[in-house]
């Protein structure tokens, strides 16, 4: 399924009004454990309230202008002009498996709210705010359920997650020159709010380091499930289909425990 998304997305440069946030995959093991993740575009935290119940919070802010030339069209997977993000929170159940407690199963559910804006490819770079005729905006509610299975060691952690997100867009706005030569695409953009859109988001997370601090990399695919919603345009037209993030993972709970010994 992921290769299909890549094939669609590589056909043309995209205008994205929704960028999936990094999945929060804490792999908690015990009460009072706290983990945080920090990358250029995502900030996350998770805390174990009991030996089996955890809470999480995540923030995202995407701003790519600094990474592209002024007149750049970006690449075939990323829209260089997209800006925005979300804030979300969740609660879940986690369970270490086996006597070694290195294998972990968890499942979290939660809600988020956010918005994105970008510009049509016909726009000549000045600033997003300075070109309202080419500007697209969306706001959205997001609900998610995220089961994960992972292995946690003091040096390496790895996890596979299958996040299911349901996104409800609202308050879309579009400048007068957006897709001005493609009326069907203008209509498709405004139809995004007709009904909630489900996404299947398989995710691979790897952390490497020692005890308190690890380097983290995550690969996430975001696949819209209901194809009928997208009749007439490619799946990557408005939704970024692939996300690769890198950053730092911090295990504050382990740090505090070791300091108290």
């Amino acid at each position: 399924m992921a290769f299909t998304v890549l094939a669609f997305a590589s056909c043309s440069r995209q205008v994205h009004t929704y960028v999936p946030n990094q999945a929060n995959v804490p792999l908690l093991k015990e009460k009072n454990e706290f983990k945080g993740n920090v990358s250029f575009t995502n900030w996350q935290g998770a805390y174990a309230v009991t030996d089996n119940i955890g809470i999480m919070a995540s923030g995202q802010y995407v701003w790519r202008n600094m990474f592209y030339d002024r007149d750049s069209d970006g690449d075939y997977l990323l829209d260089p002009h997209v800006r925005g993000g979300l804030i979300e929170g969740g609660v879940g159940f986690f369970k270490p498996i086996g006597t070694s407690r290195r294998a972990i199963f968890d499942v979290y559910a939660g809600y988020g709210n956010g918005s994105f804006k970008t510009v049509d490819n016909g726009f000549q770079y000045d600033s997003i705010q300075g070109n309202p005729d080419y500007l697209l905006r969306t706001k959205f509610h997001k609900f998610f359920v995220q089961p994960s299975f992972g292995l946690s060691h003091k040096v390496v952690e790895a996890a596979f997650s299958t996040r299911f997100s349901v996104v409800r867009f609202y308050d879309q706005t579009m400048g007068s020159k957006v897709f001005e030569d493609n009326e069907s695409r203008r209509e498709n953009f405004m139809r995004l709010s007709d009904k909630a859109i489900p996404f299947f988001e398989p995710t691979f997370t790897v952390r490497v380091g020692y005890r308190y601090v690890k380097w983290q990399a995550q690969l996430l695919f975001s696949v819209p499930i209901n194809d009928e919603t997208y009749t007439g345009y490619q799946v990557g037209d408005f939704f970024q289909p692939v996300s690769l993030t890198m950053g730092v993972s911090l295990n504050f709970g382990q740090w505090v425990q070791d300091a108290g010994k």
Side-chain angles (χ1 to χ4, degrees), residues 4-244:
T4 302
V5 173
L6 285 169
F8 274 117
S10 62
C11 292
S12 62
R13 301 184 190 278
Q14 308 298 340
V15 174
H16 293 142
T17 56
Y18 174 71
V19 178
N21 65 314
Q22 176 179 288
N24 194 342
V25 187
L27 298 180
L28 299 173
K29 286 186 177 182
E30 57 191 358
K31 183 179 179 179
N32 293 328
E33 188 174 10
F34 175 76
K35 287 187 175 181
N37 306 308
V38 180
S39 71
F40 284 114
T41 57
N42 290 266
W43 310 270
Q44 302 175 329
Y47 176 71
V49 180
T50 72
D51 282 333
N52 296 112
I53 302 298
I55 56 176
M56 62 165 57
S58 303
Q60 175 201 38
Y61 187 72
V62 179
W63 182 35
R64 295 180 178 145
N65 294 39
M66 67 183 74
F67 299 109
Y68 291 90
D69 295 333
R70 289 172 63 86
D71 297 314
S72 172
D73 286 329
D75 53 42
Y76 290 107
L77 290 176
L78 302 179
D79 175 357
H81 304 298
V82 68
R83 185 183 299 183
L86 65 79
I87 296 176
E88 69 179 16
V91 62
F93 171 85
F94 64 89
K95 178 68 176 179
I97 301 172
T99 56
S100 67
R101 296 170 59 86
R102 291 182 179 174
I104 301 169
F105 168 78
D106 61 36
V107 57
Y108 288 85
Y111 164 80
N113 182 260
S115 65
F116 285 99
K117 59 183 177 181
T118 188
V119 290
D120 183 13
N121 284 335
F123 136 93
Q124 298 298 312
Y125 193 91
D126 181 2
S127 70
I128 288 182
Q129 293 87 347
N131 291 269
D133 289 343
Y134 291 93
L135 186 65
L136 299 90
R137 294 176 183 266
T138 57
K139 297 180 181 179
F140 60 91
H141 302 286
K142 173 188 169 186
F143 301 89
F144 70 91
V145 176
Q146 178 186 294
S148 304
F149 178 80
L151 300 174
S152 179
H153 184 267
K154 61 184 179 181
V155 175
V156 178
E157 295 182 1
F160 173 70
S161 309
T162 53
R163 186 171 71 183
F164 294 89
S165 298
V166 177
V167 180
R168 182 77 189 201
F169 293 98
Y170 66 98
D171 284 356
Q172 295 132 273
T173 60
M174 177 172 51
S176 61
K177 294 184 180 299
V178 173
F179 311 138
E180 60 180 342
D181 296 325
N182 192 335
E183 185 62 30
S184 64
R185 202 172 183 202
R186 290 177 62 89
E187 293 175 357
N188 284 332
F189 172 73
M190 297 308 297
R191 285 176 50 215
L192 291 179
S193 60
D194 285 355
K195 57 183 178 179
I197 301 174
F199 291 84
F200 173 59
E201 298 175 325
T203 305
F204 303 88
T205 306
V206 177
R207 303 183 182 113
V208 180
Y210 187 72
R211 288 187 180 274
Y212 321 122
V213 182
K214 293 181 173 67
W215 169 79
Q216 174 177 289
Q218 185 178 100
L219 178 64
L220 179 149
F221 298 94
S222 186
V223 184
I225 295 175
N226 186 356
D227 290 335
E228 292 181 1
T229 305
Y230 317 106
T231 301
Y233 57 95
Q234 299 168 357
V235 296
D237 258 12
F238 302 123
F239 316 132
Q240 182 175 305
V242 181
S243 176
L244 176 63

